[in-house]
Structures are given as structure tokens and as C-alpha cells.
Amino acid sequence: MLRHLATVTLLVHDYDEAIRFFTEALRFDLLEDTPRGPGKRWVVVAPSRNAGATLLLAKAVGEEQQAAVGNQAGGRVFLFLHTQDFPADYAHMKAHGVRFLEEPRHEPHGTVAIFLDLCGNKWDLLQPA
């Protein structure tokens, strides 16, 4: 049986702000933005339409979810964005205000730099070796 990870929920403060960040700064595709009742939407983005797993941008509701925004992995790197052109993606992201926590470094597994999404979750931008 073939199985794969389809969607990961990412808590955000605001749908439209998150859509702008992911589509402009990270150049993700907006796959779906469907109203789901008062104040709720089903918002799905992905690095590209056929790139595997997607992100469900979910507006945090209530104290518990609000507290988790930006800290979904307890301070560790949460998500890994693979690229085939690290220099171009790094330059684009920097030009669009993405905050990197370090300069790019070369590791045995590839070129990598940790950045923060709009809510403060840590990501790796990684071009595998």
C-alpha cells in the first residue's frame, strides 16, 4: 500500500497575512481558499502544485491554539523546504523580508539556512547535496 503525508496544519494569526507571506515571500501556490462558515476558511498552500505535502493555514482559535502559533515544534526547526536553487530562493526570500537566523552553511547533507515564517516557526531552507 502506497501512503504519503498529505497535509500539515500550520496555525496562523490571520488568513490573508499568511497567504501573502507564503505566496509572495516563499513563492508557494495557493491551492484552495474556501469559506467554511463564520470566520473560518479552508486555506491550502504548497511549494508547487505537485510537490507532495501541502500546508493547511488554520487561523488559531482560543487560548491554547493562540499560544502555539509560532512555536508548533517547541523551538526546534519545524518544517524543511527543499530547493534546487538555493541562491535564487535565498535571495528572493531575503528581498521579501524573510528573517534568516544564520548565513547559509554547507553541510554534508547540503546547503542550509534556518529562517522564520511570519509567525516565528523555524524552517530549514535546504538544497540537498
Side-chain angles (χ1 to χ4, degrees), residues 15 17 62 66 68 75 100 111 115 119:
Y15 292 118
E17 178 184 51
Q66 286 289 343
F100 281 85
T111 303
F115 70 93
C119 294

Side-chain angles (χ1 to χ4, degrees), residues 29-33 44-46 48-49 54:
D29 290 333
L30 177 61
L31 303 180
E32 186 174 355
D33 184 358
V44 180
V45 297
S48 64
R49 292 202 177 276
T54 62

Side-chain angles (χ1 to χ4, degrees), residues 86 104-113 125-129:
F86 187 97
R105 56 190 159 82
H106 302 285
E107 300 288 340
H109 60 278
T111 303
V112 64
L125 176 63
L126 174 65
Q127 182 170 346

Side-chain angles (χ1 to χ4, degrees), residues 8 13 21 33 35 39 42 44 47 52 59 62 65 69-70 73 76 78 81 83 93 107 112 114 116 119 123-124:
V8 174
H13 293 293
F21 176 81
D33 184 358
W42 186 262
V44 180
K59 185 175 178 181
Q65 289 180 16
V69 172
R76 293 187 57 111
F78 178 48
L81 179 60
T83 179
M93 291 165 67
E107 300 288 340
V112 64
I114 298 172
L116 300 177
C119 294
W123 292 59
D124 270 358

Side-chain angles (χ1 to χ4, degrees), residues 24-89:
E24 294 174 13
L26 301 189
R27 295 191 279 198
F28 279 34
D29 290 333
L30 177 61
L31 303 180
E32 186 174 355
D33 184 358
T34 305
R36 294 285 176 134
K40 292 194 173 248
R41 291 157 59 183
W42 186 262
V43 178
V44 180
V45 297
S48 64
R49 292 202 177 276
N50 301 312
T54 62
L55 285 178
L56 172 66
L57 304 179
K59 185 175 178 181
V61 177
E63 289 181 26
E64 184 177 6
Q65 289 180 16
Q66 286 289 343
V69 172
N71 194 29
Q72 288 189 216
R76 293 187 57 111
V77 170
F78 178 48
L79 297 166
F80 298 78
L81 179 60
H82 283 203
T83 179
Q84 293 179 340
D85 190 349
F86 187 97
D89 284 331

